[in-house]
Each structure stands twice: as structure tokens, then as C-alpha cells.
């Protein structure tokens, strides 16, 4: 679908020139490796109340991988709860609408103004994750809009040439979206059963042929030779419940343990993110 | 189309349905057993203009067609790899080395889902198509099948059409139809060699299947030539302690949790691997060598259903009668608050919060277990005549 209402940039994609350093050439095979322990997530910065005009807002930044790449920067604003327009049929619950958008300049490949399927898909996942945490029947006949703009996507300047990495990056983006939206909902004063936070765990194959696959939390795909499977989890820690689970990859069905471990690690990552979330909210209150 | 389409059931009906589905053994509205699918009619090769096509019609009247079209496309080379068009510059050794590197790219498959009455950029439609393509591309093996040579590849267009109104969440239907269409897909036989411009055999009868199939002798299949097959996505839900497969719209409306689980099948590694592997394969003979490809939570429509009001807090039954002094009113408000959070038997309350991890794990386990539903479904699909 062409966007005819705005003056857009060139249709074709342009790839910025990348010059090979002579020093890099010789160490071509050597990639950056993960320096964190396998069960520690990256540092993140979370702040609520950044958009005064919205009823609730939050900003989340996840530190970059330190390879000339950029971290994840998300900004979320919540508008509502507000009355639905007269034309909408009666709803006994609050109507949630989620909107996730990458800024056109967020990734190496330019994104248009119209949301592409990946962004819409992220929106649906986010809606499922939040719907479980909101106490929806306290606001009949009302709606709330949750708008997330991804200001900067996770991207590694050197290594994202490699194909197939973007697919795994969307999971990291989703977990960030869930955490930031949860903070913004709390900021807006919308009743929730608990704060929901997102976490990612992945089964990765590190460089070296004989290395057995290992499970890491909060993976950066470019740091690993191959990502075999990953899962993103939205978790409510006090109720010990999962509101959204998204698993992708290729696992033998006979090995259910591996799957359970992956989910377990995803929950662990989500709990870690939740600490940051709770600390941030306590700070605002106190 | 969202899973959360409006279900016109009253709170009383929902409570009844939920209670009957949580019994042991549960009673489903249409009398099926827990793992039983709705009866269906399937056929393949219905569209002569496509490379492969299939149609499935469920007993509840939902029907889907899938057409697969393939086009030859020039492979775009990245800026980091040498241009392949000026072959004269490369020496033969180099060519030989790279010959067997079969690569695939996710851009080579384009999938569209069309649901009548819904926009193609509707969140639900996008979610369905993302789920189906995710399963197909999960292992990276599928796109390798589309590789012709280093300069050309097949571009596969998968068009999935629901031709009836969406009477139930169409995920299992669309997935099964896509599975059959891909099994029936044939690509013209390649006559050219190496990196030449591709030239194909005119004879359609000689066209090989995209998914090579076991050699058939009469009606009996030889188990010696196993093949991989496209993924199947199954819809599973849990109500109380029961795990229910292929839920209808009404059943989904009272689900505690719903999952879409994609499974694929990989075989054919046995010959190249060590003897240990052979023993393994013999052990699991008769079963499919399943792989878990993707799991997604489906937002259950039960969260959007209207809640019932227990008599205790219903003013029509005298809940607030006689509450004149403020003290009493306050007390009653508190009672109402506890009533909001506590379940009253026989009164429908839309589920709040998520699902326990153990329940989620049990759902996936139930799909994947040996001789389980996934095995059964794949066996049943084997019975469809692919012409």
C-alpha cells in the first residue's frame, strides 16, 4: 500500500556504505562475544511521566552492546481511560488499543510511516500481554490507547549485515515494549493485578563447532554464532502467571526439558526487568 | 480477524459452558472428545493455474482455499558478496567450493491471508499470517528448497483465502489447508546446470514435488524414505484441568488460556549420522519425528465477555435495600469489592491475569507427546490424496 499523503523518501532501500577496516579484516571470524553472565540481563533505564500531555507515559533505554551498535530506546504514552465515541457499541470492559511503531530512522533499513506487518504483530502481542494484567471490568464503556514509538532499534553497525538477525531482534523489542507499557499504565493510574514485565531467553550456539547449545537471557543475536530458539515472556511475578508467551525456533519435540528451561529462563529475565520497573515506580511515589 | 470477535452468549450461558467443559470427563457442546477435531473434507489440486492448491471444508461450514504460485526471481546479491553475474572473473575452484552452499532467504516467501469482512491490515489477520509464516520459516530449511542456483531462486506466493465467514477462529483450518497445498506443490524440473540461466522441463508430469514424498508401492507405503513436511499449527486451550483441542467459537469464549502450537517434522538424518542415531530412529518408528517450531498465546475472547452479577450484589434481589445509614453502605461497598474479586459458583466472571506456567507447559506437552494429537493429525493428513 503506497502512502500518497506525504512526501516520502526514496522507495528503494539505500544501504549506507560500510568500509572495511584493515584491522577488522584480519579478525573477520572473531565476533564480539557475550561478556555478561548467562543469566544477567542488560542494564536498563526507565523513567515514568516523560510526556506531560498524556495521562501516563514512560521511557525505557537498554544499554547498547558496546560494539558501535545502539541500544533499544522506547517511549510509551497512554491516553485514557476515556469515554468511547457514541457510535461504538456497549462494552462491559475497557477497550485496549495498542500501537507499536518503529521510528523511520530506528533501524538501518528505513521504515515507512504506515505500520508494517511486524509492527502490527508486535501490537497484537503487546495487547495480549497487557490485557491479562489490566482489571478491565472496572472501566465499562471506556477505552485506552497505548502508543509506543521505538526511537532506536537494537542494531549492530558491523554485524547486522548477517541475515536473519532482525527476526530475533523483534523479540527483544517486544519485551521492552511490554515493560515500558506496564510502567506507563501504572503512571496513568489504571488498575492492574500486577506489573507485567517482558523477558527474553534464547538457546544459542556459540562459536566453535563442538560447543553445546546453551541458554542465555536477554540475548544479543550478533554476539552468538547462531540462535536456535528464543522465547519472549510476559510475566506477573506476584501471581506467578504468564500473560503472553511467544516461542520461536526449532526444538526437537522429544526434548520437552529444553523448552521448559527456556521458558523458565524467560521468566527469570522478566523478573529481573520487573525489579527495575518496581524500583522506578517506587521512586516516583516516594 | 481477531480471536476476540464478539460472542453473543449471556453470562449464564458462559457459566454453564465453562462448568460443563471443566467436568471430568468434560462435555463439549458438540459431543466431541477432548482431542477430537471437527470432521473435515479435504482435496488438493483444485486450481489448475497454480503450482499447488488445496481446499478444506470443516463440518461447521468454514472453508478455506490456498493457492501456491512460484516465480523465478533473480537473487539479489548483498554488497558484501562478490557479484555473481560476471562469472568470468572467478576461477573454477572457487565455483566448485561455493556450489553446494544452498542458501535461503525469508524474502523468498510471501504469504497473504484474506478473511472476508476484515481489512488485510487488521491486527488479527496480520497476526494469523505472521503465525503461519513464522512456523514455515522457523527452521530455515524451507527457503533452501527454493534455491535454484547461485543467481536465481523461486519466489513463492502463498495466498490463503477463507471463503466462508469466520464462524470460528480460523487458525487450524488455514494451517491445515496451507499444509496440504504445500505438500501438493510441484515446481518444474530444472534442465539447466550450474549457474546458467535456468531452463525448465515442459513436462508437468516430470515436475518434482517441493516436498519429496515417500515412494509408494501400490497402496502400501515404504517407511524407508521419510520426508520432511510443512508445519502444522494446532489450537489448544485449557479450561479448568482439561485440555481441549480444536475449540469451536463458543468453547474458545470460555477458555482460561489458548495457545497456538506449530509443529514440524524432520526426518532423513538417519542415514548420514552414526549408528546411535539409527537406534534412536528405530525406537521412534511408527511415530513422527516432531519438532517444536513456534508457540504463541492467543488472547482468549473470554476476557471480553460480560460478567454475571451474583445475587448478593444485585440490587434487583434486594442487595442494597434498607441500606440507609452510611456505615452500612460502606460495609456493603466492601462486600461488593470482595464479590468483585471472589468467584461465586454458577456466576460467570471473565478470567483475570494470565495462566500458570505449568498449565502452559502441559498444553505444549499434550500436543507433542508421542502418539499424541500432532501425530494423529499428521497421520490423518497422510490419507489425503495428493494429485
Amino acid at each position: 500500500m503506497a502512502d500518497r499523503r506525504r512526501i516520502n523518501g526514496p522507495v528503494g532501500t539505500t544501504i549506507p556504505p560500510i568500509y572495511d577496516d584493515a584491522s577488522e579484516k584480519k579478525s573477520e571470524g572473531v565476533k564480539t562475544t557475550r561478556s555478561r553472565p548467562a543469566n544477567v540481563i542488560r542494564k536498563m533505564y526507565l523513567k515514568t511521566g516523560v510526556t506531560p500531555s498524556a495521562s501516563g507515559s514512560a521511557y525505557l533505554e537498554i544499554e547498547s552492546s558496546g560494539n558501535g551498535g545502539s541500544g533499544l530506546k522506547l517511549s510509551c504514552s497512554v491516553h485514557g481511560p476515556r469515554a468511547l465515541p457514541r457510535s461504538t457499541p456497549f462494552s462491559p470492559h475497557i477497550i485496549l488499543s495498542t500501537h507499536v511503531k518503529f521510528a523511520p530512522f530506528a533501524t538501518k533499513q528505513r521504515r515507512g510511516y504506515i505500520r508494517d506487518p511486524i509492527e502490527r504483530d508486535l501490537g497484537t502481542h503487546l495487547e495480549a500481554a497487557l490485557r491479562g494484567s489490566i482489571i478491565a471490568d472496572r472501566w465499562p464503556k471506556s477505552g485506552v490507547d497505548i502508543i509506543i514509538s521505538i526511537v532506536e532499534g537494537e542494531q549492530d553497525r558491523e554485524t547486522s549485515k548477517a541475515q536473519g538477525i532482525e527476526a530475533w531482534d523483534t523479540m527483544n523489542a517486544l519485551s521492552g515494549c511490554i515493560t515500558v507499557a506496564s510502567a506507563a499504565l501504572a503512571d496513568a493510574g489504571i488498575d492492574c493485578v500486577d506489573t507485567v514485565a517482558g523477558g527474553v531467553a534464547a538457546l544459542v550456539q556459540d562459536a566453535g563447532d563442538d560447543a553445546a547449545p546453551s541458554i542465555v537471557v536477554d540475548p544479543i543475536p550478533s554476539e552468538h554464532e547462531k540462535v536456535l530458539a528464543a522465547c519472549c515472556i510476559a510475566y506477573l511475578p506476584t501471581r506467578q502467571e504468564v500473560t503472553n508467551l511467544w516461542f520461536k525456533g526449532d526444538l526437537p519435540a522429544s526434548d520437552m526439558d529444553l523448552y521448559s528451561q527456556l521458558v523458565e529462563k524467560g521468566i527469570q529475565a522478566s523478573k529481573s526487568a520487573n525489579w527495575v520497573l518496581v524500583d522506578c515506580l517506587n521512586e516516583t511515589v516516594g | 480477524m481477531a480471536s476476540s470477535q464478539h460472542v453473543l452468549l449471556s453470562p449464564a450461558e458462559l457459566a454453564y459452558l465453562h462448568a460443563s467443559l471443566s467436568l471430568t470427563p468434560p462435555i463439549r457442546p458438540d459431543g466431541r472428545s477432548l482431542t477430537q477435531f471437527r470432521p473435515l473434507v479435504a482435496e488438493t489440486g483444485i486450481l489448475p493455474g497454480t503450482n499447488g492448491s488445496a481446499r478444506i471444508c470443516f463440518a461447521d461450514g468454514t472453508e478455506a482455499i490456498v493457492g501456491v504460485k512460484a516465480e523465478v526471481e533473480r537473487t539479489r546479491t548483498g554488497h558484501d558478496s562478490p557479484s555473481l553475474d560476471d562469472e568470468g572473473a572467478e576461477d573454477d575452484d572457487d565455483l566448485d567450493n561455493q556450489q553446494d552452499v544452498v542458501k535461503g532467504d525469508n524474502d523468498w516467501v510471501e504469504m497473504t491471508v484474506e478473511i472476508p469482512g476484515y481489512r488485510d491490515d487488521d491486527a488479527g489477520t496480520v497476526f494469523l499470517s505472521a503465525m503461519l509464516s513464522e512456523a514455515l520459516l522457523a527452521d530455515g530449511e524451507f527457503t533452501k528448497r527454493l534455491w535454484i542456483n547461485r543467481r536465481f531462486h523461486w519466489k513463492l506466493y502463498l495466498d490463503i483465502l477463507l471463503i466462508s465467514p469466520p464462524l470460528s477462529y480460523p487458525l487450524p483450518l488455514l494451517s491445515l489447508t496451507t499444509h496440504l497445498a504445500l505438500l501438493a506443490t510441484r515446481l518444474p524440473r530444472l534442465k539447466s546446470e550450474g549457474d546458467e540461466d535456468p531452463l525448465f522441463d515442459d513436462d508437468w508430469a516430470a515436475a518434482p514435488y517441493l516436498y519429496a514424498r515417500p515412494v509408494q508401492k501400490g497402496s502400501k507405503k515404504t517407511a524407508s524414505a521419510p520426508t520432511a513436511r510443512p508445519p502444522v499449527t494446532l489450537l489448544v486451550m485449557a479450561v479448568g484441568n482439561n485440555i481441549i483441542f480444536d475449540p469451536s467459537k463458543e468453547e474458545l469464549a470460555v477458555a482460561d488460556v489458548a495457545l497456538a502450537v506449530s509443529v514440524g517434522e524432520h526426518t532423513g538424518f538417519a542415514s548420514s549420522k552414526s549408528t546411535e542415531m539409527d537406534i534412536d530412529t528405530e525406537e521412534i518408528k511408527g511415530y513422527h519425528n516432531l519438532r517444536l517450531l513456534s508457540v504463541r498465546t492467543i488472547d482468549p475472547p473470554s476476557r471480553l465477555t460480560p460478567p454475571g452479577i451474583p445475587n448478593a450484589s444485585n440490587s434487583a434481589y434486594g442487595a442494597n435495600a434498607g441500606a440507609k445509614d452510611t456505615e452500612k453502605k460502606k460495609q456493603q461497598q466492601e462486600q461488593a469489592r470482595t464479590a468483585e474479586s471472589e468467584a461465586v459458583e454458577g456466576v460467570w466472571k471473565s478470567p483475570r491475569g494470565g495462566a500458570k506456567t505449568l498449565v502452559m507447559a502441559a498444553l505444549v506437552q499434550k500436543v507433542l507427546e508421542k502418539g499424541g494429537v500432532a501425530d494423529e493429525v499428521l497421520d490423518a493428513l497422510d490419507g489425503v490424496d495428493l494429485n
Side-chain angles (χ1 to χ4, degrees), chain A residues 99-206:
Chain A
H99 190 107
V100 178
K101 184 77 193 84
F102 279 91
F105 44 77
T107 47
K108 183 177 273 179
Q109 195 147 28
R110 183 181 173 274
R111 307 249 180 180
Y113 289 101
I114 289 182
R115 285 188 293 161
D116 67 5
I118 294 175
E119 290 159 346
R120 286 173 194 281
D121 190 29
L122 281 179
T124 324
H125 277 295
L126 180 64
E127 193 183 326
L130 295 180
R131 217 200 291 276
S133 80
I134 290 183
I135 305 176
D137 40 15
R138 293 205 181 151
W139 285 276
K141 300 181 277 184
S142 46
V144 62
D145 295 320
I146 295 155
I147 294 153
I148 294 187
S149 32
I150 302 175
V151 184
E152 209 168 87
E154 250 168 310
Q155 198 109 99
D156 218 320
R157 240 190 126 57
E158 312 295 330
T159 41
S160 61
K161 291 187 274 196
Q163 286 285 320
I165 279 186
E166 295 87 355
W168 302 112
D169 274 341
T170 47
M171 280 215 176
N172 279 339
L174 176 65
S175 83
C177 285
I178 293 168
T179 312
V180 77
S182 178
L185 277 176
D187 188 39
I190 293 174
D191 298 6
C192 294
V193 290
D194 193 7
T195 49
V196 62
V200 184
L203 180 72
V204 294
Q205 177 96 55
D206 275 321

Side-chain angles (χ1 to χ4, degrees), chain A residues 57-92:
Chain A
S57 60
Y59 172 78
L60 174 79
E61 197 171 315
I62 297 177
E63 77 173 336
S64 66
S65 53
N67 189 26
S70 59
L72 190 65
K73 293 190 178 102
L74 301 160
S75 140
C76 173
S77 55
V78 172
H79 299 276
R82 56 184 173 200
L84 287 172
R86 280 171 178 280
S87 54
T88 15
F90 171 77
S91 155

Side-chain angles (χ1 to χ4, degrees), chain A residues 93 117 120-121 125 131-132 135 137-138 239 241-242 244-251 253 256 259 267, chain B residues 121 126-127 134 139 290-297 299 303-305 340 352-357 365:
Chain A
H93 299 293
R120 286 173 194 281
D121 190 29
H125 277 295
R131 217 200 291 276
I135 305 176
D137 40 15
R138 293 205 181 151
R239 294 171 69 104
E241 286 176 346
V242 174
N244 188 35
L245 183 151
W246 181 22
F247 166 88
K248 193 160 87 164
D250 187 12
L251 283 185
M256 271 297 287
Y259 169 76
I267 289 174
Chain B
D121 57 352
V126 169
F127 190 69
E134 178 178 276
D139 53 354
L290 296 178
R291 313 279 300 182
L292 178 64
L293 297 179
S294 110
V295 179
R296 276 176 183 233
T297 348
D299 195 12
R303 293 219 181 106
L304 294 174
T305 47
E340 192 195 322
R352 197 179 274 176
K356 297 280 180 217
T357 353
Q365 171 77 46

